[in-house]
Amino acid sequence: MENKHTESLFFNYSDIFFSYYFNNDTTCAHMAQNHSMSYVYSGEMVLQEKDREVVVRKGECVFIRRDNRVVIHKRPVNDEQYRGIFMMFTRKFLREFFQKLEKSAVPHEVEPLERSVIKLPKSPEIESLFSSMVPYFDPSIKPRDEFMQLKLVEGVYSLLNVNERFFPVLFDFNEPWKMDILEFLNENYMYDLSMEQIAHFTGRSLSTFKRDFKKISDLPPQKWLIQKRLDVAFEKIREAHLPVTEVYSEVGFKNLSHFSTAFKKQFGVSPTGV
């Protein structure tokens, strides 16, 4: 969910995402459905996970574990705009990788890494991996899918070489535990998530999520979210005296006009009249 209008180049080649921002900075809430590596070519990236902050500078790389929420802030440094590559490892890709892996090479009784955001040490493998993809920041040069798939394989091997504790992290194919729906929504109501994403992050299929939600609310999930956003906005405006132009995006509305209309319908008064 971008909260600033930023001119950028952004393209995806076989689950490898290239991004290049041309003016100032941007912030987004990243809901990590898959494991990933993110490398910074220029500028810097700040990742916030609850009360922890990780700064990734030029030439550095970070691993982001799946099934968690991270707020990512990308910004220029010394007049160099942010430019980076985000490499995503889907469950399907990792299963296929593991099936081909020589099982004798898999260490046993290794404890998985605990953190969800892990800044990686510099290594020749990681440096050469991302250096080899610099030409593809030029959108006129499109790599073959087979080549980018090899880069994903190289990315996994570079992680395993950094620390064998990545083995139980990358090759854990258990589905996430079910978590409390209202707890998740109360913590994440402001983010632009589809019903499919919310179902996934609470450990459910979409049909199971809808069935479970009916047990806790008479409202459909989307209407519950809108009401939650409006209730929080009302408190922010009335109690904290925050400006409407700041509040509407904080609670998850993309459009001020839509927010004002919904607010008046809900409370019988415009946001500026509270």
Side-chain angles (χ1 to χ4, degrees), residues 160-193:
L160 299 178
N161 187 63
V162 163
N163 194 326
E164 67 176 7
R165 293 176 69 188
F166 274 112
F167 274 94
V169 172
L170 294 171
F171 306 126
D172 175 9
F173 303 117
N174 294 320
E175 293 301 316
W177 290 98
K178 278 189 180 182
M179 66 181 298
D180 184 84
I181 291 176
L182 286 183
E183 179 183 348
F184 178 84
L185 290 177
N186 279 314
E187 291 181 357
N188 299 281
Y189 65 87
M190 70 292 291
Y191 298 111
D192 185 20
L193 300 174

Side-chain angles (χ1 to χ4, degrees), residues 182 185-186 189-190 195 213 216-236 247 251-253 258-259 262-267:
L182 286 183
L185 290 177
N186 279 314
Y189 65 87
M190 70 292 291
M195 288 300 106
F213 196 85
I216 58 177
S217 176
D218 294 329
L219 295 174
Q222 283 289 9
K223 288 189 176 180
W224 187 97
L225 281 171
I226 292 173
Q227 183 170 304
K228 173 68 178 181
R229 290 167 179 170
L230 291 171
D231 288 343
V232 174
F234 187 90
E235 291 301 313
K236 284 178 175 286
V247 167
V251 299
F253 281 88
H258 177 217
F259 168 71
F263 191 97
K264 188 170 184 179
K265 182 178 179 181
Q266 176 76 8
F267 301 113

